[in-house]
Amino acid sequence: MELFSIKDLDLTEKKVFIRCDFNIPMDEYGNIADDRRIRAAISTIRYCLDQDCAVILASHLGRPEGKCDLKYSMKPIQKRLHTLLKQEIILASDVIGEDALKKAHDLNPHEVLLLENLRYESGEIKNDKEFAKKLASMAEIYINDAFGVSHRAHASVEGITHYFDKEHQAAGFLLQKEIKFFGTLMKKPSRPFVAIVGGSKVSGKLEALMNLLPRVDKMLIGGGMAFTFLKKLGYNIGASLVEDELLEEAGRIMDEAKKLGVKFYLPVDVIIAERFDAEAVSKAVTVQEIPDGWMGLDIGPATVRLYREVLNNVQTVLWNGPMGVYEMERFARGSSKLAHYVADSYATTVVGGGDTADLIQRLGLDDEMTFISTGGGASLELIEGKTLPGVKPLMKTKEGL
Ligand code: AMP
């Protein structure tokens, strides 16, 4: 899929509105826990500044539910942008109020204005036309570089695009990169291509699993979702997470894999615990021997070895969803061991955003992966085969990925 690129536009001395995704995690002290998304937006911002643009940046942060809440102010983002760009960042005290409109109007080339949290305004999520129009009125050019929210038809992502023609709107470098990576992955991956799919439930990834099956050579399943498959195969899964209403669907996926010749792998052993608790008594058992009342919270050592073996000869790896409850140290080993192996491989390794990106980040392996998506939900929708509402207006042709 080719997008209208920021490179196609004449930006010289223009006022540019860039929708970024600065929705970053904060720790319990209110500090930025991971600034990857801010750093990922820098090349587009710098490119605009190099073209002598006046730059207006907008993003949401958290869920302030349509009203001003200082807990979600963009102030920490302003500070981090200042550090990264090494220049003053002007912060508006509102989004489309008097202050923002005046500051946007008065903005000079090379200056950067950051609007307050877009979700202080209820019109953002509602994709309100008037709100989108006001945002659009601030600039001559619109750039979408917010991959992480491009699966949402929100005002700053979708509504705003109706107020710019094709010569005045485009995708930033980050958005282009994300679309390119997932496009190559889904259309012409180097083979063998393996998808590692984990996370809590089958329901959350059902469409992704179905859409991936005809494209991959192998599929490795982990996390809570594995137990629905194992139950369907007749194993006793104790008190593990299961979606009984999806047992038939799980069977259909396994049949489809067989029909397509996809090598479909499930855990052969798991780490079980008496309860869902970081301190609970735990042990490794084969999937044949899960006792009643115990729950599987991670893949076991034999599964790690098996999955390593499977990964030995692959050329492309797509990983979406942890292999266990990685937030608790005791149940993070399976994900961690597999992550190190994937990181060490010579394959092209693509990590879907969200929890998997968080896991890789915690392990300090981010530099070892080929690409880590900045959007969990958005990348999942791409894998499901959907066209993202924020990307659609920027597509050169109407075909999907
Ligand atoms: P998802 O949002 O579906 O990708 O799921 C991510 C979540 O799945 C993480 O918070 C993990 O703690 C959780 N998870 C992974 N494995 C298991 C498991 N065996 N049982 C319960 N939750 C799990």
Side-chain angles (χ1 to χ4, degrees), residues 199-201 205 223-224 227 241 276 296-297 321-322 324-327 355:
S200 54
K201 293 179 178 172
K205 306 226 166 97
F227 297 99
L241 198 65
F276 191 86
L297 296 179
V325 184
Y326 74 101
E327 298 93 332
D355 279 318

Side-chain angles (χ1 to χ4, degrees), residues 158-179:
E158 199 278 332
I160 193 168
T161 63
H162 298 281
Y163 300 96
F164 295 90
D165 61 25
K166 297 285 173 236
E167 279 73 48
H168 294 86
Q169 62 180 328
F173 297 117
L174 173 64
L175 183 60
Q176 289 176 60
K177 197 166 156 188
E178 295 265 9
I179 296 293

